[in-house]
Amino acid sequence: MTLPAPGIIWASLPLPALMIDGTDRVIEINPAAELFLNLSARALKGQVLGERLAIAAPLEEIFARVRKNRSALFVNDVDLTTGERAPVQCNLQAAPLGDDPQTVLLLISPREIADRLGRASQVKSAARSAIGMAEMLAHEIKNPLAGIAGAAQLLSMNLSGDDLELTDLIVDETRRVVKLLEQVEQFGNVRPPEMKPVNIHDVLDRARKSAAVGFGAHMLIVEDYDPSLPPTLGDADQLTQVFLNLLKNAAEAAKGQGTIRLRSFYDYSLRLRGPDGHGQRLPLQIEVIDDGPGIPPDIAGALFEPFVSGRENGTGLGLALVSKIISEHNGWINVDSVPGRTVFRVSLPVAPKEV
């Protein structure tokens, strides 16, 4: 068996990896690190790592100890950020590179994917219970509300002035609550997806055009697509609803002003493990990026749960519906947010060739 060339191994490493010289400057960076840090190799090479990244660990001391002891060093639970995204908790591994006394290999193991996938499974289970309870309550509450509205309308026929305003208020408020309950029922009655090969860029184009003539009419929507992406397996209508909801969420966060960027790319490293223990790769990545104020920290961890909303009068069902649909497409959704930059990323599988 012929071993692959070192360059192929370096490019295929699924973990972000960097080579650091004796002055703590970056010599080399692999593709996984470029993607994770959202920085190109050209931008990082020759730079002191600690000056380009905010890492809550004494990097100089770590590298010095590795060079002195000629042994690997592990540092767990370290917050890392480039300043353009929320801090990510990582485990760091630093080790001497071969016989070179100065060069250090640094591996970054982001904990966010495993942690968020675990939370996503819990949220999905909790969402089912919440949806079932909400549907039952919606059905039971709508009937007496109709009676209240009807009684108020009958009373209004013999009233005038301030008393008539009160009955009109009763009717208007009952109609508003009924409308909300209908949204809850609709949320629970999404049909199973009709899975077919879908060009994700066709879906994004439909969502973008709808947004551009409606809630996003005064925003700049920028397309940054990888045209070589293969089809995904999904329901085009439901996926269109997903990206419409994400675009609307971005537009409302930015108060209808600013820029939304739609980005697609391929990342073969993400794998979602199912209940049967088998993993499925989710290489198709679609990001919806806005330059709004960011997500309030107090709801960031529960953003995809039903009835959690950061907006006044929000129902908290839009992102829960997005999460539900993506889950039924065997995909994954996550969010990174700092003031001025919020990124929702949807990860989807590739459609099998035989479909």
Side-chain angles (χ1 to χ4, degrees), residues 147-159 164 167 171:
I148 292 170
Q153 288 175 324
L154 287 174
L155 286 173
S156 67
M157 297 173 64
N158 299 314
L159 299 175
L164 183 60
T167 55
V171 172

Side-chain angles (χ1 to χ4, degrees), residues 124 128 190-200 203 206 231-243 272 280-284 286 320-333 346-352:
K124 183 179 178 182
R128 287 199 189 100
V190 175
R191 60 174 172 77
E194 298 179 7
M195 308 296 267
K196 299 178 181 178
V198 174
N199 183 328
I200 198 63
V203 168
R206 285 173 59 189
T232 188
L233 190 63
D235 185 308
D237 290 339
Q238 291 191 15
L239 289 175
T240 299
Q241 184 64 50
V242 163
F243 291 106
L272 181 66
Q280 180 179 23
R281 294 195 182 276
L282 305 176
L284 305 184
I286 305 95
L321 178 60
V322 165
S323 179
K324 182 173 185 283
I325 292 174
I326 293 301
S327 176
E328 291 176 348
H329 280 71
N330 300 313
W332 182 55
I333 182 169
V346 174
S347 304
L348 294 169
V350 172

Side-chain angles (χ1 to χ4, degrees), residues 116-130:
R116 285 180 177 175
L117 286 177
R119 288 200 302 269
S121 177
Q122 295 171 3
V123 167
K124 183 179 178 182
S125 177
R128 287 199 189 100
S129 299

